[in-house]
Amino acid sequence: MSRLSSPTAVRHNRRPRYVPIDSRTVRDTTISFRALGLLAYLLDQREGWQVRSDQLSKGEGREGRGAVRTALRELAEHGYYRLERRRLRTGKCVMGTAVSEYPLEQWIRDHEIFSTASDPAVPVVEQEDGTFLVEYPDGTFGSDGIVPDAFGDDDEPPAEPEDKSEVAEEPPAVAPEETKAPRTRRTRRTPEQKAADDAEKEAERTRKAEVKRALDAAAEAVASWWWGDAEKHLGKYVGRNNGYLAMRGMVKKALEVGYSQRQCADALRHARKHLPSAQQWQTALGIVTNHIAPTRPNGRVPYSDSATWGQPGEVVPGDTSSPAIDDSDDATFGVVTRTQGA
C-alpha cells in the first residue's frame, strides 16, 4: 500500500495514471455541474497537493472563493469529499482532505455526525498499515470507507520489451492475483425498460424536491419567527453578516433528524441567543425534549416555557393553535460550514 508522501496530502480513493470518474458519478443528478467539475479537477491532482479554496479560485476561468466553498460543501454532503483532522502514528495531528471518485455512504453518515460540531473536520487515526480509522464522539472507532490499495501508484504497468519476437515465443508469466477477469458485455436495455427507468428516476427526483421544499419552508418559518422574536427580547443582532443563514441552517438540520418546529422554537428560546453555538443548540434541544435536565446554581429544575421565556400564548412555529406566522423574510437559505483553507 502506498503511504502518504506528506501527512497533509490529499488521499485519493481512485486508480492511478488517469482521471477515473464512474459513469454513475457523471450522471449523479444530486450534485451540480459546478461540483462535478471541481471533483474531476481534484481527482486529477497528484499526491501531496493540498486543497485550498483560495488557490482553487485563482486563475483564468476560475470561479470565486465563495463558489468553490459551496461546491466543496456540496461534495462533502454527498460523500465525495471531506476535511480530515489526522492523528498520525507519531502522535502529531495535521489537517488534510480526502477525495473519492464515487460517493461513499460512510462519508455521508460521518458528515451528518460531524458537520454540526464546532470543528466539522472528521477525526481519523493512522494505523500501522497506513490506513485510517474514524474516531467517533463516543470514543469508538470505525472504518473511514476507503478501500485499501484503492489509491497510490504501486501498480505501474510493466515496461514493454524491445524485442517483440521474444514476447511471442515466451510470454511472461502472470501471477494468478494479477490476472484480470474478462469484461462482461452489458445487456442493452429495451426502449420500454429505459422509459420505465427514466420515469422511476424522475419520480424519485420529484419526491426529493418536494421533501426539500417542505423542509426549507419549515426551517424558514422557524428562523423568520425567531429572528423577529429575538430582536424584540434581546435587541438588534450585531454578529457576523451571515448569522441568520447560519441559524436557519442549524434549524434545518434539527428538522431533518426528526425534531419538530415547536421543539426547535422552544430550543431557540431556551438558548437565549440570536445565533447559538453548536453546543448551546444541541444542549437546548436536549432540554426541551427532556433528554437533558436544565441546571441552575441551586440545582436541577424542570423546564418551563413561561419560566424560561416570556408569557404563554405567544406565536410559536409548529403550534397549530397559534395564528399564522409572518415569514416574509426574503433571505435565501444557506448552510454555514468550514472548509480547508477558509
Side-chain angles (χ1 to χ4, degrees), residues 276-334:
S277 68
Q279 185 58 56
Q280 290 168 337
W281 178 232
Q282 188 61 59
T283 300
L285 287 170
I287 290 174
V288 300
T289 55
N290 296 319
H291 289 91
I292 301 176
T295 59
R296 286 183 179 175
N298 59 348
R300 296 181 180 273
V301 296
Y303 174 71
S304 166
D305 276 344
S306 59
T308 303
W309 192 279
Q311 299 298 322
E314 294 181 83
V315 177
V316 176
D319 187 350
T320 56
S321 63
S322 301
I325 302 166
D326 179 11
D327 59 352
S328 58
D329 195 316
D330 61 351
T332 56
F333 174 72

Side-chain angles (χ1 to χ4, degrees), residues 240-283:
R240 62 190 191 188
N241 293 335
N242 58 357
Y244 178 84
L245 300 182
M247 178 271 297
R248 186 169 60 181
M250 295 172 68
V251 172
K252 182 180 178 182
K253 287 183 179 296
L255 294 173
E256 285 177 336
V257 298
Y259 291 99
S260 69
Q261 288 177 268
R262 177 56 186 261
Q263 288 170 337
C264 290
D266 287 346
L268 287 166
R269 277 185 161 180
H270 182 83
R272 292 177 178 269
K273 304 284 185 183
H274 288 82
L275 173 60
S277 68
Q279 185 58 56
Q280 290 168 337
W281 178 232
Q282 188 61 59
T283 300

Side-chain angles (χ1 to χ4, degrees), residues 56 59 62 105 133 140 168 285 329:
L56 289 170
R62 302 301 185 209
E105 290 295 331
L133 293 179
T140 60
L285 287 170
D329 195 316

